[in-house]
Amino acid sequence: MKRLFIIVASFWPAYVFALEPLSSEDLSAVSGQGGVYLSGDITINENGGPLNVDGPSANGYSWQTSCTAVSTDKRCGGRIAVNSGTGGGWLVLDNIRGRFSFEGLTLRTRKIDSGFTGDGAAFNSDVFEIGLPNNLNYEEVSYTIANSNSARPTDAGFMQTDIMTVNINGKANLQGNLLIFPTGAP
Amino acid sequence: MMKKIIISSVALASSSLNAGLVPMADQELQRVNAQAGITLETSSHLTVGDVTYTEDANRLQLQNIERGSQADISLPSSSKQVVDVLADGSLQINSEVYPTSLAIGAIRVNDSAASFGQFRLNYSGTNLIKVGASSSAENFLEGSFQTSISDAELIWTTNGSSVSFDDIGYNANITRLAIGEAVDGSRRGLNFGLDEFSYSFSTGGVKLGGVSLGTLAGELALSGDAQIFAGGRSGSEGISLNASLNILDDPDNFVRFTDDGNSLFMGNFSGALNVTNLTFDVMSDHLLLGYDQLDGSFNANEILIGDSSNPVGAIQLDFLFNDGNGYSNRMAFYPGIRQPVYANLPAAIQPYATNFYSALNGSSDGISAAVEWNLANAEVAYIDNGRMVVVSGIESYGRGDLTLDVRSFDHDNNGGTADKTAIAMGMNRVQGSYSIDGLRVGNKTAPIQGGAELLLSLEVFQAMDFNLDGYTLITAGGVSGGGIQIDGDYLFSDTNIGLSIDENGNGVWATGVDYDIHLRGIQVDVSNTGLSMNRTEQWSTMNVDNMRWGDKNSGRSLGRIQLERFEKGSSLTINPGGSGAVCVGASGNAATCENNGGRWEDRGNEGMTVALKAAFAPEGPTSDGSIARNRLTWENNRDLDGSGNPVNGTGTQIIFDSYSTSDGLGVSDSNDYGFQANLKIDVYETKVAKKFTGADDNGVIGNQGDELIYDDASRTTYTYVANPTAAQLALRPQGFAVQGNVSFKDLQVDQVQLKHPDVAMPQTVFSGIVMQNMNMTTNLTATPIR
């Protein structure tokens, strides 16, 4: 998610996203406003994806395979291939799997017209606030970074070079709010 | 206050009357007590040229009325009446009607060129009416009433095409009907009291052109009273009515729609309906219906969709319509089809409107209505395994013009195949607004909370100001058996949509929205697992002039967003039952979930599952010849016009161009799997942990990580608890618990582009993005923030 924000921000000079330190004083200023408190988990390809069930076979590559939570077959993960130039190669995130769980991700809109050492009064506008969860747990989150000569493994002459595989387990503490608001010329 | 009903051109043909009169002495009368008195057997063929109801010099005309035999309406039909005086002095009329047909050739207002259409009722039945003196001084008379109609058929025809309700069976039983005087201030009228009115009906089929949509059946127990007064809302004549009706709390109450053996069922319901000053007037060119106030409630405790073993839950509705916001509740019904002034419609919908009405003219039959409404407040509660969420403070008002007719329709755009009979509904210049205050969770009196954003996943927005023009054609026949097919074109213009707003109406607004939607071959069926909607083809463009933060008129804008969609073979199914038991945050079963770091939740057998398949098609022609695609455009830094408003197309754009799904090999491959999203929705308790140590917004103190626990079942006050007991866990906050699964085989974005206003063509950033084999499962509980 953070990577996506950086990419978008690099396209647009507008200052659209901001990270705000959290304090009880700021929270108390948003009394009575609406919003949603989310908790739960997101699991990617725990038992493979839909192509593993009845996907196509072509040019010597078959998507179909039996996947379980402990499978190591790289076909069981999700795959994202991006081509930055016509005729060029593809940057690939392959074999994407894992589980994220969290408690207390909040979403709401609120008006900031005070606080922030005086900047709030000058800002005096509404923001969409993503309240980060205190805990974000990673469980067997993994992906492989690779290069390939075409988008799909079923393409003719497909070749791929895996560069490295990342595996994450553990807990991240995320505190504060992500504020999203328009600025610049609409 | 005089109303006149004039009957002209009456012809009674082939009539015979057989009556047996028996002279009676007093002693004989005593002996024959409760036996039949007079028997009348009639056989008649009746034609009436014109029945006119005149009010304030305006005439409602029922023309070309004919009654005769069902086999041949030009021949006489038969009936028998037995009239008797019972021991208690009451009069009893027992009548039997043999297969009869009643036809009305036209219904007009003041000799209008167009009619409301032709109506025909085929029926046979029995009636038992008993009328006697009142047991109280308040009433003139009291009685009971039983009627039974069988094998009936009701046919409505406009312009040569018909919709019919076949094989109607109908039974009504009023245990006590009392008629007395009603007094309302200076007004005097008639009061009708109904006790224990039980009512049942069934239809063999709702048919269009002889093809069945499905069957309808129901049973109700009612009681109520009504007061009728002279004088309407306009002029010195007319009719007004006050009424109070109760649907008695009877577990046998039900309504059922059956398609191909599978049913939508609502049972064990109760409710109340009160209407004040419901008026009826005949105006110069229309009939005017209006009311000052309509309020009521409705509770349905059993709702089944297809699968009878899996209930959805219960629904409770409370509502109040009255005058307000400059709007009243009025309906003006015009005979015939009133076409819109095409030049007044937005340009994008004009060709579709012109085509929709092209075969009709000023004398075409049908119904047109000008409607205005003001819903002052409504509360909708959904109860899942005893847990309640209330969508609270629903308000709406608006006005617009509607048309309704039955016609012949080339449903497949192929002149070589037979046309179908269609119900055609037009909406012209419907301007309205609605808003939702928020949610109440746990019970109806719990404090109102934010969180109506949770409904966004069901495409229900928190607030909307809209202008809608739309044209719908409904034909019989879904994917299998009965069912319906919908074809339509719609345009929301100059519309504001509240996506996430607070109690003051500030938040994130999509403003200046133009959203045109085109549906082709949308087939709706009830199956043994649920309700399915197969979407053969649809394309749409949603243009948001400004995505604003804060006030919908003056808030800062993120810029313009345009979303174009093109889908072929998409579907939506709604199935009963939610997620059942789940392990949130880990894998495992009831025994292992906690040890694996998760939280075991048994969300019960009720709930709802929404399964969506979106098959995004590659750029290409639609069935009406236009080119459509899936594309997302974000534009900002636009030039301003003379009024200071940004001009679309003059700014910098980022374009996610032509994205589509396939079954794994790209755009040349089949597209059966599409993009699938399955949402299993329940209402359930969830863990809400305090995010920081100290006092919260309401001054309640707790440590970071403590759980929010309500003090009691009223769910009004709460404390933070470090280690809740089992009893306290039942008092966790409730919210929507969604087990979602999103999956696709292959999703391709052809290119991502940037466009500067000074260059003619956009420049490519990414020449392609291909995502494959994704299967994401989420267990999310969404709770409104206090």
Side-chain angles (χ1 to χ4, degrees):
Chain A
M1 186 64 78
K2 188 177 289 183
R3 180 174 292 106
L4 175 65
F5 289 159
I6 292 168
I7 292 169
V8 173
S10 68
F11 294 149
W12 299 96
Y15 183 58
V16 178
F17 304 100
L19 270 172
E20 175 205 33
L22 181 79
S23 75
S24 58
E25 178 192 355
D26 291 329
L27 269 179
S28 65
V30 298
S31 174
Q33 307 245 350
V36 181
Y37 180 105
L38 292 168
S39 61
D41 61 41
I42 298 172
T43 307
I44 301 173
N45 286 38
E46 183 173 24
N47 294 304
L51 284 174
N52 303 130
V53 179
D54 57 358
S57 300
N59 298 309
Y61 188 92
S62 173
W63 273 105
Q64 295 185 24
T65 185
S66 176
C67 294
T68 66
V70 295
S71 299
T72 56
D73 191 327
K74 63 187 286 185
R75 289 175 294 179
C76 294
R79 173 184 173 85
I80 301 173
V82 178
N83 184 3
S84 59
T86 305
W90 295 70
L91 174 65
V92 179
L93 288 183
D94 206 354
N95 195 19
I96 304 167
R97 303 183 75 176
R99 174 182 287 116
F100 308 86
S101 59
F102 54 88
E103 283 177 357
L105 177 73
T106 58
L107 306 173
R108 63 174 152 188
T109 58
R110 65 169 172 126
K111 187 169 190 174
I112 295 177
D113 55 5
S114 63
F116 297 88
T117 60
D119 291 342
F123 181 75
N124 193 29
S125 290
D126 284 74
V127 297
F128 185 73
E129 175 199 280
I130 301 175
L132 302 176
N134 284 340
N135 297 318
L136 178 62
N137 294 306
Y138 295 82
E139 182 183 337
E140 295 295 340
V141 175
S142 65
Y143 55 88
T144 297
I145 299 174
N147 287 325
S148 70
N149 64 343
S150 61
R152 297 176 176 85
T154 48
D155 291 341
F158 172 79
M159 289 188 295
Q160 178 167 311
T161 304
D162 292 349
I163 300 172
M164 63 182 230
T165 296
V166 177
N167 186 284
I168 308 172
N169 278 290
K171 181 187 292 186
N173 292 324
L174 302 176
Q175 291 183 307
N177 295 327
L178 184 64
L179 306 178
I180 304 173
F181 53 89
T183 184
Chain B
M1 294 290 180
M2 281 294 292
K3 271 83 57 185
K4 306 176 194 70
I5 296 180
I6 299 168
I7 301 175
S8 60
S9 309
V10 179
L12 191 62
S14 308
S15 176
S16 62
L17 178 68
N18 303 311
L21 282 174
V22 181
M24 287 180 285
D26 286 349
Q27 296 86 339
E28 289 171 324
L29 191 58
Q30 286 174 346
R31 281 207 309 274
V32 299
N33 188 14
Q35 298 201 8
I38 302 170
T39 299
L40 296 170
E41 291 185 4
T42 59
S43 177
S44 64
H45 171 243
L46 179 74
T47 59
V48 180
D50 193 297
V51 175
T52 302
Y53 168 85
T54 305
E55 179 201 320
D56 291 316
N58 292 314
R59 293 168 293 138
L60 170 62
Q61 302 157 296
L62 279 62
Q63 298 177 327
N64 301 328
I65 301 169
E66 184 171 12
R67 198 195 72 178
S69 168
Q70 213 172 89
D72 183 347
I73 198 170
S74 65
L75 298 176
S77 63
S78 303
S79 65
K80 183 172 80 174
Q81 283 85 31
V82 178
V83 183
D84 196 7
V85 178
L86 304 181
D88 61 1
S90 59
L91 178 70
Q92 177 174 287
I93 303 172
N94 194 343
S95 57
E96 192 166 354
V97 179
Y98 303 109
T100 298
S101 190
L102 174 66
I104 301 174
I107 301 177
R108 304 179 195 274
V109 177
N110 286 332
D111 290 320
S112 55
S115 153
F116 284 113
Q118 297 94 50
F119 297 85
R120 180 162 178 156
L121 174 65
N122 299 322
Y123 65 102
S124 58
T126 59
N127 289 302
L128 179 63
I129 302 170
K130 183 181 166 188
V131 181
S134 172
S135 57
S136 73
E138 296 174 355
N139 297 317
F140 304 137
L141 54 88
E142 291 180 358
S144 62
F145 182 78
Q146 293 175 37
T147 187
S148 174
I149 290 177
S150 58
D151 300 329
E153 183 182 24
L154 177 64
I155 306 166
W156 178 44
T157 304
T158 70
N159 309 313
S161 297
S162 300
V163 57
S164 67
F165 297 82
D166 286 2
D167 300 327
I168 302 171
Y170 169 93
N171 291 289
N173 187 355
I174 304 173
T175 306
R176 178 178 168 271
L177 170 64
I179 302 175
E181 185 182 30
V183 179
D184 180 22
S186 60
R187 294 198 299 177
R188 295 285 189 277
L190 287 176
N191 180 66
F192 294 84
L194 290 173
D195 282 347
E196 296 180 31
F197 178 13
S198 61
Y199 170 83
S200 67
F201 70 93
S202 63
T203 64
V206 182
K207 291 184 176 175
L208 275 169
V211 183
S212 176
L213 278 66
T215 63
L216 199 61
E219 197 167 307
L220 284 174
L222 303 168
S223 71
D225 58 73
Q227 297 82 44
I228 296 179
F229 302 95
R233 196 170 294 276
S234 172
S236 59
E237 299 181 342
I239 300 169
S240 66
L241 173 91
N242 295 334
S244 177
L245 195 65
N246 291 303
I247 302 172
L248 302 179
D249 193 0
D250 186 334
D252 293 334
N253 289 343
F254 77 92
V255 176
R256 181 178 61 227
F257 173 77
T258 304
D259 165 16
D260 208 19
N262 302 302
S263 296
L264 298 176
F265 178 90
M266 182 170 65
N268 190 12
F269 56 81
S270 61
L273 191 68
N274 303 298
V275 63
T276 306
N277 202 27
L278 173 70
T279 58
F280 173 80
D281 290 277
V282 183
M283 309 299 285
S284 61
D285 60 355
H286 64 273
L287 308 177
L288 177 63
L289 205 63
Y291 55 83
D292 290 354
Q293 180 167 311
L294 176 70
D295 62 83
S297 61
F298 185 79
N299 306 323
N301 293 316
E302 187 179 12
I303 297 171
L304 303 175
I305 303 175
D307 181 359
S308 59
S309 64
N310 231 348
V312 173
I315 287 177
Q316 298 182 357
L317 168 68
D318 299 278
F319 59 91
L320 168 64
F321 288 89
N322 61 16
D323 295 351
N325 297 309
Y327 291 81
S328 302
N329 292 289
R330 305 281 184 271
M331 285 155 279
F333 295 102
Y334 296 80
I337 298 299
R338 294 204 317 160
Q339 298 187 27
V341 179
Y342 296 106
N344 292 345
L345 300 178
I349 199 70
Q350 281 183 19
Y352 297 99
T354 307
N355 184 52
F356 183 76
Y357 291 112
S358 60
L360 305 177
N361 56 39
S363 61
S364 298
D365 293 344
I367 299 173
S368 298
V371 300
E372 182 176 305
W373 76 92
N374 182 60
L375 173 65
N377 187 57
E379 312 275 316
V380 180
Y382 172 62
I383 302 159
D384 169 10
N385 289 107
R387 302 176 181 89
M388 176 183 283
V389 170
V390 184
V391 181
S392 184
I394 303 168
E395 296 177 57
S396 178
Y397 55 84
R399 61 173 64 93
D401 296 329
L402 311 174
T403 64
L404 181 68
D405 64 275
V406 189
R407 64 173 69 166
S408 182
F409 169 53
D410 184 3
H411 67 287
D412 55 2
N413 201 24
N414 181 352
T417 57
D419 290 354
K420 280 187 171 183
T421 300
I423 296 173
M425 298 192 296
M427 295 181 286
N428 297 302
R429 299 282 75 201
V430 178
Q431 304 171 12
S433 180
Y434 78 81
S435 61
I436 298 169
D437 278 356
L439 302 180
R440 299 180 195 272
V441 183
N443 57 61
K444 288 184 179 178
T445 57
I448 198 160
Q449 306 174 351
E453 297 90 344
L454 300 173
L455 302 173
L456 285 175
S457 62
L458 302 175
E459 296 195 22
V460 176
F461 306 111
Q462 268 183 277
M464 197 166 174
D465 310 315
F466 58 89
N467 297 285
L468 172 62
D469 297 278
Y471 308 98
T472 306
L473 289 150
I474 298 173
T475 49
V479 173
S480 65
I484 63 172
Q485 175 173 319
I486 298 170
D487 294 82
D489 299 285
Y490 310 89
L491 174 68
F492 289 90
S493 54
D494 197 15
T495 292
N496 298 324
I497 302 173
L499 299 172
S500 173
I501 57 175
D502 63 20
E503 70 274 26
N504 300 315
N506 292 325
V508 179
W509 282 91
T511 67
V513 177
D514 284 342
Y515 186 15
D516 72 58
I517 305 164
H518 308 278
L519 309 177
R520 298 291 181 270
I522 308 300
Q523 295 166 320
V524 184
D525 287 279
V526 184
S527 70
N528 59 359
T529 57
L531 186 68
S532 69
M533 183 190 296
N534 288 286
R535 301 179 289 175
T536 305
E537 182 185 19
Q538 70 177 80
W539 69 99
S540 65
T541 301
M542 176 189 269
N543 183 82
V544 180
D545 273 353
N546 286 291
M547 188 68 78
R548 292 192 188 277
W549 263 236
D551 183 80
K552 64 184 175 186
N553 297 312
S554 60
R556 290 185 187 180
S557 170
L558 193 66
R560 170 203 182 204
I561 292 174
Q562 186 177 64
L563 178 64
E564 296 161 83
R565 291 173 68 176
F566 182 32
E567 297 175 34
K568 287 182 174 178
S570 294
S571 65
L572 172 72
T573 62
I574 299 174
N575 298 327
S579 59
V582 294
C583 180
V584 180
S587 299
N589 54 32
T592 61
C593 179
E594 298 282 342
N595 290 336
N596 291 342
R599 188 170 69 246
W600 185 251
E601 295 184 353
D602 185 354
R603 297 172 182 169
N605 67 330
E606 296 184 350
M608 195 161 41
T609 297
V610 179
L612 173 75
K613 183 183 92 172
F616 297 117
E619 179 175 314
T622 66
S623 59
D624 77 350
S626 58
I627 300 297
R629 63 192 67 73
N630 295 289
R631 181 164 62 186
L632 175 66
T633 304
W634 178 24
E635 178 182 16
N636 63 14
N637 281 309
R638 290 169 290 176
D639 294 342
L640 303 180
D641 64 13
S643 305
N645 297 315
V647 179
N648 292 339
T650 61
T652 312
Q653 299 177 349
I654 182 170
I655 304 163
F656 293 83
D657 189 29
S658 194
Y659 56 90
S660 60
T661 50
S662 74
D663 288 338
L665 297 176
V667 293
S668 60
D669 197 5
S670 57
N671 194 8
D672 297 329
Y673 195 87
F675 178 95
Q676 298 190 6
N678 299 312
L679 301 175
K680 296 178 177 179
I681 302 167
D682 292 280
V683 182
Y684 197 73
E685 290 84 13
T686 187
K687 180 181 179 182
V688 173
K690 196 163 191 316
K691 296 182 72 171
F692 57 93
T693 298
D696 70 5
D697 304 356
N698 299 313
V700 181
I701 296 170
N703 295 318
Q704 182 177 337
D706 287 356
E707 272 204 58
L708 190 156
I709 302 291
Y710 282 104
D711 295 336
D712 54 45
S714 69
R715 294 178 176 272
T716 50
T717 59
Y718 60 91
T719 51
Y720 290 103
V721 180
N723 296 299
T725 64
Q728 287 174 317
L729 291 179
L731 292 169
R732 279 174 164 170
Q734 294 176 350
F736 286 111
V738 179
Q739 185 183 56
N741 179 263
V742 172
S743 63
F744 55 84
K745 288 183 172 177
D746 191 302
L747 175 61
Q748 170 176 329
V749 183
D750 283 1
Q751 49 203 343
V752 180
Q753 300 172 313
L754 287 173
K755 184 180 180 307
H756 191 276
D758 292 345
V759 298
M761 299 300 293
Q763 295 171 306
T764 299
V765 181
F766 295 120
S767 299
I769 299 175
V770 175
M771 292 175 274
Q772 291 183 288
N773 199 37
M774 296 296 282
N775 181 15
M776 289 180 282
T777 301
T778 67
N779 285 298
L780 290 178
T781 307
T783 314
I785 301 175
R786 284 294 312 270

